[in-house]
Amino acid sequence: MTSISGAEMVDWNLAVATATRLVRPGPEVSRDEARAVVAELRGHARTSERYVREFTRMIQDGTPAHDTPVLVVDRAGWIKANVAGFRELLQPLLGKMQERRDGTPGAAVFGTVGGKVTGVELGMLLSFLASRVLGQYETFAPVSRDLPGSAAQGGRLLLVAPNIVHVERELEVSPHDFRLWVCLHEETHRTQFTAVPWLRDHLEGEIQTFLGATELDPMSVLERLRDAAQSFAGARPDAERAEEGRSLVELVQTPEQREVLGRLTAVMSLLEGHADFVMDGVGPQVVPSVAEIREKFQQRRASGAGRLDVALRKLLGLDAKLRQYRDGERFVRAVVGQVGMDGFNRVWTSPNTLPTKAEIARPADWVARVHRKGSEESEKA
């Protein structure tokens, strides 16, 4: 992305360098231990594919295995992948901000300085997140030598080895069981995107609609980002006030964005809740200590590492993600209980059969809408 002033709105290379420099070191492991962890995670990812297919019935028997690569990465690898994804997704918004900036006095100076400042601040936030993510189905970063992707959609499954090891030690659970348990969750996300070809484009379209409706000037957007970064750095004495404030996402909403965000929240609740439901459904058969893992992990997920951690989770909207796991899982469980797994799988038919935000809270309304409509169409035929 080029600009008249010759500088991007975000210095992406500086964001990677800053995050990589600031991210906390992972747990101490020997070279042999590290190799063993990587090998086991790759093996569990392959095993999980069969378990998830059998349980979800989203992919017909006999369908070839995914060509989506499984990348076992460290924290720096996760940072690079996500910066590449952010850069791809944010291009339209940053282009819009670029045009507005280039028409203002001092644009050249702002371009050079502002891009570096934003790069540092984005790097600070990514360094915070990089030590917390266990796994991720990454679909938006373009395919490259460092980030191979599937032939169809370019997606890839990331498993962040040092974070998985850190959490299994912190919870004092069986490493073998915990690694398989994590892979079941992440493999469900891979299955969702590979079994539902339209899902990636639908999500990207919604995100671009959300970003395209942004009307804030560049300085306002950067100020929001700066608030989050300074909270992380401990530079704001009133950082704890973020617990009572709104998230960054909520702060940039126009009326149109609120509608889009409602739809996105519903989809993400579905995807995360479905993954938790599958993980719990498969777990008792293949993960001996699943009950212990689930209880300890839920406690960890709900608590924070401290008041600053809680404040940042609120500011970044991560507390909303926790609600998505809970609300989405309840939705999936209720629908499967009413119409069975095949009846639930009608949710993947098209964007029109996705639940609304209201239906996530009232699963019976989704069943009535989707299954009643389907029955009426069958009767007419």
Side-chain angles (χ1 to χ4, degrees):
M1 184 170 58
T2 59
S3 68
I4 296 174
S5 63
E8 292 188 8
M9 293 291 297
V10 180
D11 188 328
W12 299 105
N13 292 332
L14 185 57
V16 171
T18 301
T20 303
R21 184 177 69 253
L22 293 179
V23 70
R24 292 183 294 181
E28 292 186 8
V29 294
S30 68
R31 187 178 297 273
D32 288 343
E33 287 176 317
R35 289 193 183 118
V37 171
V38 171
E40 185 170 32
L41 287 172
R42 286 175 176 160
H44 282 332
R46 289 191 297 270
T47 302
S48 296
E49 181 177 357
R50 174 169 58 85
Y51 293 143
V52 171
R53 282 190 178 200
E54 291 175 354
F55 186 81
T56 65
R57 301 203 289 272
M58 292 179 66
I59 298 177
Q60 294 182 349
D61 293 340
T63 303
H66 298 316
D67 69 341
T68 311
V70 177
L71 308 181
V72 182
V73 299
D74 58 11
R75 291 169 177 174
W78 180 87
I79 288 167
K80 291 176 183 176
N82 278 268
V83 167
F86 288 151
R87 186 171 189 172
E88 187 77 6
L89 274 177
L90 293 176
Q91 276 191 11
L93 173 62
L94 295 181
K96 180 179 178 180
M97 293 170 62
Q98 188 93 50
E99 292 176 2
R100 185 174 297 185
R101 186 196 69 184
D102 288 339
T104 61
V109 174
F110 179 83
T112 302
V113 177
K116 291 188 179 301
V117 169
T118 309
V120 169
E121 292 171 342
L122 177 60
M124 293 171 70
L125 294 180
L126 286 171
S127 72
F128 168 78
L129 296 172
S131 62
R132 286 159 171 76
V133 176
L134 301 182
Q136 172 185 350
Y137 183 80
E138 207 293 311
T139 186
F140 295 117
V143 175
S144 66
R145 184 173 61 182
D146 295 333
L147 287 173
S150 70
Q153 294 185 320
R156 59 197 64 80
L157 181 62
L158 306 179
L159 297 171
V160 191
N163 295 349
I164 293 172
V165 172
H166 171 77
V167 174
E168 70 191 26
R169 290 180 179 178
E170 181 183 275
L171 299 182
E172 297 181 341
V173 294
S174 163
H176 175 84
D177 287 3
F178 184 74
R179 294 166 194 175
L180 177 56
W181 189 72
V182 170
C183 286
L184 287 170
H185 183 101
E186 302 307 332
E187 176 58 39
T188 303
H189 287 316
R190 179 162 68 157
T191 297
Q192 290 163 348
F193 281 90
T194 53
V196 186
W198 53 264
L199 183 57
R200 178 195 181 279
D201 290 341
H202 173 71
L203 270 179
E204 183 175 16
E206 292 281 53
I207 291 170
Q208 293 304 337
T209 300
F210 180 87
L211 295 176
T214 300
E215 296 296 341
L216 291 177
D217 64 90
M219 287 305 296
S220 296
V221 174
L222 296 182
E223 185 62 31
R224 304 277 163 78
L225 183 62
R226 185 167 295 112
D227 285 344
Q230 289 178 347
S231 294
F232 167 67
R236 291 175 53 202
D238 60 341
E240 293 178 1
R241 292 182 192 171
E243 291 182 60
E244 301 176 357
R246 293 184 293 167
S247 72
L248 285 176
V249 172
E250 293 171 315
L251 286 168
V252 298
Q253 286 182 63
T254 63
E256 181 183 358
Q257 284 178 310
R258 281 192 288 273
E259 292 183 12
V260 178
L261 187 61
R263 296 196 298 268
L264 278 171
T265 298
V267 175
M268 297 311 297
S269 296
L270 171 69
L271 297 181
E272 295 294 356
H274 183 234
D276 267 11
F277 177 78
V278 172
M279 186 168 58
D280 287 346
V282 176
Q285 284 74 48
V286 299
V287 182
S289 60
V290 64
E292 177 191 4
I293 291 173
R294 183 67 160 154
E295 180 181 2
K296 289 183 175 180
F297 192 77
Q298 287 287 63
Q299 292 173 355
R300 181 184 186 275
R301 182 188 270 177
S303 62
R307 295 188 66 81
L308 179 59
D309 187 75
V310 171
L312 272 169
R313 289 196 325 192
K314 173 63 179 177
L315 190 58
L316 298 175
L318 299 182
D319 55 340
K321 186 174 179 65
L322 299 182
R323 290 195 298 273
Q324 288 169 8
Y325 286 107
R326 183 184 64 246
D327 297 344
E329 196 273 340
R330 278 202 298 255
F331 170 84
V332 176
R333 187 173 300 280
V335 172
V336 172
Q338 290 184 59
V339 296
M341 186 64 76
D342 292 333
F344 164 78
N345 281 339
R346 290 180 63 174
V347 78
W348 312 115
T349 303
S350 74
N352 292 329
T353 57
L354 291 172
T356 64
K357 189 176 180 181
E359 287 171 340
I360 288 288
R362 296 190 296 273
D365 290 355
W366 180 87
V367 172
R369 175 173 66 87
V370 173
H371 284 265
R372 182 178 61 240
K373 181 179 180 182
S375 299
E376 292 172 353
E377 291 176 348
S378 297
E379 291 174 2
K380 290 180 182 178

